[in-house]
Amino acid sequence: LDGLITPNGLAFSPDGRTMYLSDSHPSVQNVWAFDYDTSSGTPSNRRLFVDMNAFPGRPDGAAMDVDGCYWICGHDAGLVHRFTPEGRLDKSLAVPFNKPAMCAFGGPQFDTLFVTAIRPGGDLSDQPLAGGVFALHPGVCGLPEPSFAV
């Protein structure tokens, strides 16, 4: 794919036929949706899904839930956002650190959203938990990461 500076936020819809990809670079901050050919592994029909410039935080790591909603870390904003399949912000969960980096669903029922935090240098008195891994219960189940064959 051309024109990406800092690709991130890769996730797939529950049926595997839509691929999501973000660019975290401060000059871009967009998330795109693509049609995805599961037999060839080819994305096509790139279209803007969410312009993250309109929301707090740069897009970072992402995950999908069973409702087909896209969860993405709002880096530098201390938030994890949930967007509906139509690209509408559904909810934002606050985390006790500024730089959430990746989220993934896990646990026996995939009802726990694990979020990693970057630990920046400098004074951390306002975010002493930065650098940890946190378990949230967002009230929805996620999808396991898709497997693939080489």
Side-chain angles (χ1 to χ4, degrees), residues 6-14 18-24 29-34 47-52 55 58-74 79-93 101-105 113 138 140-143 145:
T6 311
N8 217 325
L10 182 66
F12 294 87
S13 63
T18 303
M19 181 182 95
Y20 299 91
L21 181 68
S22 70
D23 191 326
S24 298
Q29 299 189 59
N30 285 323
V31 181
W32 296 279
F34 299 78
R47 58 203 177 273
L48 184 63
F49 177 63
V50 175
D51 179 350
M52 286 288 294
F55 302 98
R58 291 185 294 117
D60 212 335
M64 293 297 294
D65 69 27
V66 295
D67 297 328
C69 293
Y70 179 79
W71 292 78
I72 189 156
C73 293
L79 297 168
V80 181
H81 302 293
R82 180 186 192 229
F83 290 93
T84 67
E86 297 77 34
R88 181 181 55 80
L89 180 64
D90 181 56
K91 68 171 78 173
S92 297
L93 303 178
M102 180 59 190
C103 58
F105 284 94
L113 185 65
V140 65
C141 293
L143 295 174
E145 292 296 319

Side-chain angles (χ1 to χ4, degrees), residues 69-150:
C69 293
Y70 179 79
W71 292 78
I72 189 156
C73 293
H75 189 80
D76 291 329
L79 297 168
V80 181
H81 302 293
R82 180 186 192 229
F83 290 93
T84 67
E86 297 77 34
R88 181 181 55 80
L89 180 64
D90 181 56
K91 68 171 78 173
S92 297
L93 303 178
V95 290
F97 43 87
N98 296 336
K99 298 179 179 294
M102 180 59 190
C103 58
F105 284 94
Q109 305 299 319
F110 287 95
D111 61 349
T112 303
L113 185 65
F114 293 96
V115 181
T116 62
I118 292 174
R119 183 177 179 86
D123 179 16
L124 297 176
S125 60
D126 66 332
Q127 54 173 341
L129 300 176
V133 177
F134 298 84
L136 308 177
H137 295 280
V140 65
C141 293
L143 295 174
E145 292 296 319
S147 58
F148 65 94
V150 177

